[in-house]
Amino acid sequence: MSNSRRYAYNLPWRGVFLGAMCHGGLCIFTACLATKTESIFFVILGGLSVMFGCFALVVLTRRIFFFRVLELTQDSILYPHGFPRTRITRIPYANIVSVKEGALVPNITLCLTTSKGDFEIGAARFSCRENYLGAKDFIQTRATAEMAGQEEADKILAAFPEPFIEPKDWERYRTHLVVSKPLVARLVKASWFAARCLGVFSIPWLLLQAFQLPTLSLVGFLVVCLPVTFFFTVLYWSCAVHPERVTKITVLANGFTVLSGLQTWSHSYLDITGWATVDREFEGRTLHILLLRKLNYKGIAYTRSMAMPDGPTRERFVQILCAKKVPELPGLKPEWE
């Protein structure tokens, strides 16, 4: 007997009508433009008009005939999303790093932070508020049970410091690793990157040339594309020289989050297949580095490096990993060596 809970989870009718009206308006607008053009532009605008019309029809028919269902099983959430085709994403409770309710008015949203990305469950998509509250309570209960983990890990986490920042020496050390390489080798890599950029930019121009459609001359194409290619190459060079920015790391019960610039990355302990510690001397100071072996969304293993502000902080992080049954990999090496 299945203990899963199923809830109707569809776009509200006001959103359906608004989406259909927007796509329908674009359909009529592009159709009017198509009647005033000729040749290839008539075909392009006509195709866009048909596409927008199909989207308007899909928005209406999908809401009427194809219902979406949010299913909560004992070990995961079956989350429906996507347009126009509905996709089901399985979100294990063990991969949930944090759960919080958004304060956006009038739409209340349950925000799930997981190691595979962020997901939002909107109250407006449920048939009634009671269903949303029931789903929210069930998710929070299951996620909290998974987050609890071993008592040993919880005790260590309770004594863990507030979110910490990687030391400035770590950023300078990574820059030193790049600039210490031979200049010729770095110029060759930058030139190869520029060649690939120019090749990508030239594809539309070559297609227009092949079909004998109006386009820029070779000189005009180079005048436009070379500065753009140079800009992206300089950006690539700058990112290579400064590969790491100082990040804020927050350790949670079921994982940790890393803030880099305006981007937050969430990691679950379940995705970590091993760890190791290394120390490096730089400018008379010791860098306490933690290496984590992880799997990306394709299942390919890679190594992530984090510098801790001091040795005791790294040791407490390692104790949590051990309590979560993450094995040590003594042979793990940094990706830059």
Side-chain angles (χ1 to χ4, degrees):
M1 180 178 178
S2 176
N3 294 324
S4 62
R5 303 188 178 194
R6 297 168 61 88
Y7 300 93
Y9 190 75
N10 297 292
L11 191 67
W13 279 112
R14 60 179 181 274
V16 172
F17 290 135
L18 180 61
M21 289 175 60
C22 290
H23 286 113
L26 289 173
C27 173
I28 296 173
F29 176 71
T30 51
C32 292
L33 289 180
T35 59
K36 300 178 181 179
T37 58
E38 299 178 354
S39 185
I40 186 66
F41 297 104
F42 174 79
V43 176
I44 294 175
L45 292 174
L48 287 175
S49 177
V50 173
M51 182 183 69
F52 287 130
C54 290
F55 279 163
L57 185 62
V58 168
V59 169
L60 289 173
T61 56
R62 191 183 68 176
R63 179 63 179 87
I64 297 173
F65 299 106
F66 302 98
F67 297 99
R68 287 185 173 184
V69 174
L70 177 71
E71 185 172 356
L72 309 179
T73 67
Q74 291 300 312
D75 60 347
S76 61
I77 303 170
L78 302 182
Y79 180 75
H81 62 103
F83 179 84
R85 182 175 63 87
T86 299
R87 299 188 302 273
I88 303 297
T89 297
R90 181 177 175 271
I91 309 173
Y93 299 115
N95 277 347
I96 297 178
V97 177
S98 66
V99 181
K100 60 182 179 180
E101 192 170 45
L104 295 178
V105 178
N107 295 324
I108 301 175
T109 302
L110 188 67
C111 303
L112 307 178
T113 300
T114 75
S115 59
K116 306 300 182 183
D118 296 336
F119 300 89
E120 295 183 351
I121 299 178
R125 290 178 175 265
F126 288 81
S127 58
C128 62
R129 182 171 176 80
E130 288 72 19
N131 286 348
Y132 166 74
L133 294 176
K136 183 190 74 169
D137 293 341
F138 186 81
I139 292 173
Q140 289 180 330
T141 301
R142 295 298 304 158
T144 302
E146 292 290 346
M147 289 180 186
Q150 296 87 352
E151 294 183 2
E152 180 183 354
D154 297 335
K155 293 178 181 178
I156 299 171
L157 184 64
F160 208 87
E162 293 297 319
F164 56 89
I165 298 177
E166 292 179 327
K168 284 284 187 180
D169 297 339
W170 172 245
E171 186 177 4
R172 294 197 297 270
Y173 176 68
R174 296 301 302 272
T175 299
H176 166 74
L177 292 174
V178 176
V179 299
S180 62
K181 296 179 180 179
L183 180 60
V184 175
R186 289 191 287 143
L187 287 175
V188 170
K189 290 185 65 175
S191 300
W192 173 235
F193 177 82
R196 286 182 292 172
C197 283
L198 190 60
V200 171
F201 295 150
S202 65
I203 291 176
W205 181 77
L206 290 175
L207 290 175
L208 292 174
Q209 289 280 6
F211 289 100
Q212 298 181 351
L213 296 174
T215 185
L216 296 173
S217 63
L218 177 60
V219 175
F221 168 76
L222 293 177
V223 168
V224 172
C225 286
L226 285 180
V228 178
T229 301
F230 178 75
F231 168 77
F232 281 108
T233 304
V234 171
L235 189 63
Y236 167 79
W237 182 280
S238 177
C239 292
V241 174
H242 304 283
E244 290 286 345
R245 290 180 291 175
V246 176
T247 57
K248 182 174 74 172
I249 303 173
T250 305
V251 181
L252 303 170
N254 210 36
F256 61 94
T257 61
V258 178
L259 176 64
S260 180
L262 299 177
Q263 182 68 46
T264 300
W265 304 93
S266 302
H267 304 274
S268 171
Y269 296 127
L270 292 180
D271 296 330
I272 302 175
T273 60
W275 60 270
T277 59
V278 295
D279 295 325
R280 294 293 183 268
E281 297 292 331
F282 181 67
E283 296 181 350
R285 297 188 58 182
T286 301
L287 291 174
H288 305 277
I289 304 170
L290 177 64
L291 306 178
L292 299 176
R293 193 66 168 171
K294 297 181 80 276
L295 298 177
N296 62 12
Y297 68 97
K298 294 183 178 179
I300 301 175
Y302 70 97
T303 303
R304 179 181 179 84
S305 306
M306 297 192 305
M308 300 295 172
D310 50 53
T313 301
R314 186 179 65 178
E315 291 305 316
R316 284 194 289 267
F317 201 121
V318 167
Q319 290 174 5
I320 294 178
L321 294 175
C322 293
K324 294 293 184 179
K325 308 301 182 182
V326 180
E328 181 181 5
L329 300 178
L332 191 61
K333 298 296 182 182
E335 71 276 6
W336 64 83
E337 295 181 354

